[in-house]
Amino acid sequence: MATIPTFPKRSEIAKETTWDLTALFPTVADFEAALVEVTEQADNFQKQYKDQLNDPKTMVEAIQAMGEIFKRVSRISHYAFLPVEANRNDRDAMLRLQEADNVIQAVMETTAFLENTLMEKDDPELDQLEEMDATLHDYVRRMKREKQLYLGKDVEMALQRMRPSLGQPQEIYNQAKLADMTFPNFTVDGVDYPLSFVLYEDFYAYHPDTAVRRGAFDQFSKTLAQYQHTVAQAYYAHVTREKAEANLRGFDSVFDYLLFDQDVTREMYDRQIDVIMQDLAPVMQKYITHLKEENCLDKMTYADLKIDLDPEYSQPITWEDAEDYVREAASVLGEDYVEKIIPAFSEQWIDYAKNEGKSTGGFATMAAGVHPYILMNFNGQLSDVYTLIHELGHAGQMITAEQNNFYLTDTPSLYLVESQSTFNELLMAGYLKRTQEDDRTQRFARAQMITNTYFHNFITHLLEAAYQREVYRLVDGGKGFTAETLSQITHDVFHQFWGDAVELNPGSELTWMRQPHYYMGLYSYTYSAGLTIATQSYLNVADERPGAVDDWLNYLKLGSKPVVDAAKVAGVDVTTDQPLKHTINYLDQTVDEIIAYSHALAKAHSEVNTYVTEQAKTKETVKVERHQEQSEH
């Protein structure tokens, strides 16, 4: 039986297992001083440039000055929100975050006049800015695009001032999930097991004991159901706000409004969902059926989807081992790339210990002019290295893009943002396949690639996206929804994808309550979009196509370039369905390889058993013959 984890308080964990925020500000007092300084900096900025933006030189100076202000805002923001993500039970940290949010909101209001003024300039005037400073190319392009949505200074300022209130639905959801939900113990075979949101998502969903795993899911789902109407109402508030903004800015559809910011067409969005729902479904049904057979399950339920193909196979590793794995896997991209991300270990960019109140999952974020920060939970297993190298993929891209772009435009489109991280997961899988000789480890490498890299990004989040699309279709059609509506949509999407291969046991329909992605626009589908680019690029590198590594490194340098153009730098054409079809074909081949390894392992196991049995029979025969000889004598 797996040991039930108990989480220490934040104050009880070793400092070296947490991130070091002193790189942002040495002390809380320095942080408080920065709040005052950035407010003064914004006020001086307004006094210097408001109503003075009449010539290109002054406008360029103002843009550059605003960039410096928002670099400081980035450091303030990170110092405030990272402690809350690491411990939502820290009330002092929560108060600092609220204080910082208020200051940042005031700074954004104070400096908003600059972009409002630029929106009112003619395109030739904006072109002059790029002529004076070539680093502003992407910024000027963004201003030209966003002019299409501009509603005038007064309306834009009113919306800016309402941002904190408009963003409350997501905060309500997070507080409900991480602070208010209380999960009672559950009992299996007379044993009581503790339960929490984090325990279920990070532990019980993967538990090797079927009775414990399904018992945890049942109790987890019963507790979720008690909050479903509150969470549904918070989500309704969020999507109706998005629809209102879409209408306000002249969009007939909320889809077009949300995709505009990503610089993505509706055709690209729909294709990503439709092709996967149709073409990947049979591949994953084949894999999940094999998973059921290998684990000798009576049936495959929704509660069983995250189990390992080989639960008895384990490769415990230390944190030091993890660094070696990352270094070796990433070496394909060259020493310069490795040296960008390896300081994460020695300089404490990563918060990897488990503690009470810590957020689930993982993320990477970049504090301007400092370095990235990563949150994750490390359990000492090789599978954790996939999460680690994923987040370091984000980190490497963030560092590279900041080095090669103007700060205000160093972030790629949301459509692309998961490509750099999932590419690194494929590097890890490739490294294991290259360096491990035995069939069991070869199967493990492929299964981890399926269950970690693709299941998470290509299926879990894609099914979220398919669900989300149906919700927005309701909103676009002027219809409302309730918790029951959301549950029915979720059930229908899951059934469409899994068919009869998975039994959707009660509680599976409440999966819409478990992710914050729905509060981030059309984010969920971008995981699969990014992984499609990553897969094609990785296969180019793995096949040693000339220039493939350089193409990928050049892709990492890009900031907010148009999506189609950016993907072409990586050697991928996202205007067609071919990269997606190739990715699904690669997955199909991988599943077949996994099944072949399973058959080989079973055959080898059978041969060993046969040999052992024959040896035992031989020994018994010899024993009987000797006994007979002794009797004759």
Side-chain angles (χ1 to χ4, degrees):
M1 179 183 294
T3 303
I4 301 170
T6 56
F7 302 140
K9 296 184 183 301
R10 183 72 176 179
S11 59
E12 298 171 347
I13 61 177
K15 290 292 185 182
E16 61 268 20
T17 66
T18 68
W19 43 37
D20 178 11
L21 301 186
T22 61
L24 299 169
F25 298 102
T27 66
V28 174
D30 293 308
F31 163 74
E32 296 287 353
L35 294 178
V36 176
E37 291 166 3
V38 78
T39 300
E40 294 175 350
Q41 192 177 3
D43 289 341
N44 291 334
F45 175 83
Q46 186 182 62
K47 291 175 184 176
Q48 182 175 356
Y49 292 110
K50 192 172 185 180
D51 301 324
Q52 303 299 316
L53 301 171
N54 300 315
D55 63 274
K57 183 174 181 295
T58 303
M59 286 188 281
V60 168
E61 289 177 356
I63 294 168
Q64 296 288 4
M66 188 172 72
E68 292 304 311
I69 290 173
F70 278 92
K71 285 181 181 179
R72 175 169 284 186
V73 164
S74 172
R75 293 190 286 273
I76 289 171
S77 173
H78 282 80
Y79 192 86
F81 90 83
L82 289 175
V84 174
E85 294 296 331
N87 182 14
R88 286 189 172 268
N89 297 327
D90 187 338
R91 296 301 99 186
D92 290 338
M94 188 68 74
L95 291 173
R96 282 198 300 272
L97 175 59
Q98 292 173 348
E99 181 183 13
D101 283 346
N102 290 336
V103 169
I104 293 170
Q105 175 64 22
V107 168
M108 293 178 70
E109 291 178 16
T110 303
T111 59
F113 73 89
L114 172 59
E115 293 199 346
N116 287 340
T117 301
L118 294 176
M119 296 284 189
E120 296 178 353
K121 300 294 183 181
D122 294 332
D123 283 0
E125 290 182 270
L126 294 176
D127 289 336
Q128 291 179 5
L129 307 183
E130 183 183 345
E131 292 171 4
M132 293 192 65
D133 186 347
T135 66
L136 298 183
H137 171 78
D138 292 330
Y139 185 78
V140 169
R141 187 182 75 88
R142 178 163 70 82
M143 289 299 100
K144 288 180 179 179
R145 289 192 79 242
E146 293 184 359
K147 281 170 62 175
Q148 303 172 53
L149 312 185
Y150 183 62
L151 299 172
K153 291 181 180 179
D154 292 341
V155 176
E156 294 294 344
M157 181 57 71
L159 289 172
Q160 182 63 55
R161 288 171 176 162
M162 292 176 64
R163 287 297 168 200
S165 297
L166 296 175
Q168 282 305 299
Q170 183 175 1
E171 287 306 309
I172 293 170
Y173 167 76
N174 283 330
Q175 287 299 316
K177 183 175 84 168
L178 297 173
D180 289 344
M181 288 188 185
T182 302
F183 296 82
N185 293 356
F186 66 99
T187 303
V188 175
D189 295 331
V191 179
D192 277 351
Y193 295 85
L195 184 62
S196 69
F197 207 104
V198 175
L199 270 176
Y200 180 74
E201 294 285 15
D202 291 350
F203 179 66
Y204 289 120
Y206 306 90
H207 202 287
D209 187 311
T210 301
V212 172
R213 184 174 63 250
R214 292 177 182 175
F217 180 82
D218 290 342
Q219 185 59 66
F220 180 70
S221 299
K222 289 176 183 177
T223 303
L224 284 183
Q226 297 172 15
Y227 296 85
Q228 62 181 307
H229 301 295
T230 298
V231 174
Q233 192 61 40
Y235 185 43
Y236 184 72
H238 172 75
V239 297
T240 53
R241 186 264 294 176
E242 289 179 317
K243 178 60 176 175
E245 286 193 12
N247 293 341
L248 191 63
R249 296 195 183 278
F251 289 92
D252 295 330
S253 167
V254 68
F255 290 103
D256 295 335
Y257 168 61
L258 295 173
L259 291 171
F260 180 88
D261 186 55
Q262 297 180 18
D263 207 359
V264 169
T265 66
R266 180 69 182 274
E267 178 187 7
M268 291 166 65
Y269 166 76
D270 283 328
R271 180 176 66 222
Q272 197 69 27
I273 297 174
D274 292 337
V275 172
I276 291 177
M277 290 294 290
Q278 177 178 324
D279 293 356
L280 183 60
V283 176
M284 291 312 300
Q285 289 171 22
K286 176 171 60 176
Y287 175 74
I288 217 71
T289 300
H290 183 63
L291 187 65
K292 180 190 74 172
E293 293 168 350
E294 287 295 295
N295 280 271
C296 301
L297 298 181
D298 57 332
K299 57 186 175 181
M300 175 61 70
T301 75
Y302 187 80
D304 302 318
L305 286 177
K306 292 187 177 181
I307 59 175
D308 286 333
L309 179 68
D310 189 353
E312 295 181 358
Y313 180 85
S314 175
Q315 283 199 14
I317 64 170
T318 65
W319 185 245
E320 292 71 26
D321 293 333
E323 178 178 350
D324 293 338
Y325 272 100
V326 168
R327 185 184 291 275
E328 292 299 324
S331 65
V332 173
L333 298 181
E335 190 61 24
D336 287 347
Y337 177 82
V338 173
E339 291 307 312
K340 285 181 181 179
I341 62 174
I342 285 299
F345 295 90
S346 60
E347 297 177 9
Q348 290 183 241
W349 301 1
I350 309 169
D351 196 294
Y352 63 89
K354 288 186 175 182
N355 59 261
E356 289 182 3
K358 187 173 181 179
S359 294
T360 58
F363 66 77
T365 180
M366 178 80 172
V370 184
H371 58 64
Y373 282 94
I374 293 170
L375 179 141
M376 65 169 293
N377 292 302
F378 185 73
N379 299 299
Q381 294 294 319
L382 182 55
S383 56
D384 296 322
V385 183
Y386 279 82
T387 302
L388 175 60
I389 202 168
H390 174 107
E391 300 304 342
L392 286 170
H394 284 305
Q397 180 275 323
M398 292 170 181
I399 294 169
T400 306
E402 186 181 72
Q403 291 172 344
N404 289 276
N405 296 276
F406 176 51
Y407 173 65
L408 296 179
T409 53
D410 67 358
T411 303
S413 164
L414 205 59
Y415 185 92
L416 305 170
V417 80
E418 291 298 337
S419 58
Q420 306 92 349
S421 53
T422 51
F423 180 91
N424 273 22
E425 290 189 52
L426 295 174
L427 288 181
M428 179 56 64
Y431 171 67
L432 291 177
K433 287 192 284 186
R434 289 195 310 274
T435 58
Q436 305 296 322
E437 295 181 357
D438 65 287
D439 286 354
R440 198 170 185 184
T441 304
Q442 286 289 336
R443 185 178 69 164
F444 171 83
R446 288 162 174 79
Q448 284 297 305
M449 188 178 75
I450 292 290
T451 58
N452 277 346
T453 304
Y454 286 96
F455 201 107
H456 186 67
N457 299 294
F458 232 62
I459 300 164
T460 298
H461 293 321
L462 192 281
L463 296 182
E464 292 171 7
Y467 148 84
Q468 189 182 37
R469 183 170 63 172
E470 297 307 311
V471 173
Y472 280 124
R473 281 173 173 169
L474 287 176
V475 173
D476 258 353
K479 298 178 181 178
F481 56 77
T482 64
E484 290 80 6
T485 311
L486 300 179
S487 292
Q488 187 61 54
I489 292 173
T490 302
H491 178 277
D492 292 345
V493 167
F494 286 172
H495 181 68
Q496 179 187 348
F497 187 84
W498 292 115
D500 295 332
V502 176
E503 179 181 303
L504 300 176
N505 45 324
S508 59
E509 74 282 357
L510 295 173
T511 302
W512 61 269
M513 297 180 64
R514 292 166 55 181
Q515 284 284 2
H517 294 148
Y518 313 127
Y519 297 86
M520 304 175 188
L522 297 177
Y523 181 32
S524 296
Y525 91 100
T526 65
Y527 281 86
S528 64
L531 184 50
T532 300
I533 295 171
T535 302
Q536 188 63 62
S537 298
Y538 169 75
L539 292 176
N540 290 341
V541 170
D543 293 341
E544 299 183 348
R545 185 180 66 78
V549 171
D550 288 338
D551 286 347
W552 186 253
L553 294 175
N554 287 329
Y555 174 70
L556 297 183
K557 296 177 182 178
L558 302 179
S560 56
K561 295 287 190 292
V563 165
V564 173
D565 295 343
K568 283 182 180 178
V569 172
V572 184
D573 182 3
V574 295
T575 63
T576 74
D577 64 1
Q578 287 309 299
L580 185 51
K581 296 277 191 179
H582 289 163
T583 299
I584 293 173
N585 183 60
Y586 175 60
L587 287 175
D588 195 19
Q589 291 175 359
T590 301
V591 170
D592 287 342
E593 289 172 3
I594 289 171
I595 294 173
Y597 276 116
S598 292
H599 291 163
L601 288 166
K603 181 180 179 182
H605 181 71
S606 176
E607 289 174 349
V608 168
N609 285 342
T610 300
Y611 175 78
V612 170
T613 301
E614 290 176 349
Q615 288 295 103
K617 288 180 178 178
T618 300
K619 289 180 180 179
E620 184 63 28
T621 300
V622 170
K623 183 178 178 182
V624 170
E625 290 175 347
R626 286 178 178 173
H627 179 72
Q628 289 176 342
E629 290 174 359
Q630 291 172 357
S631 298
E632 291 173 359
H633 288 300

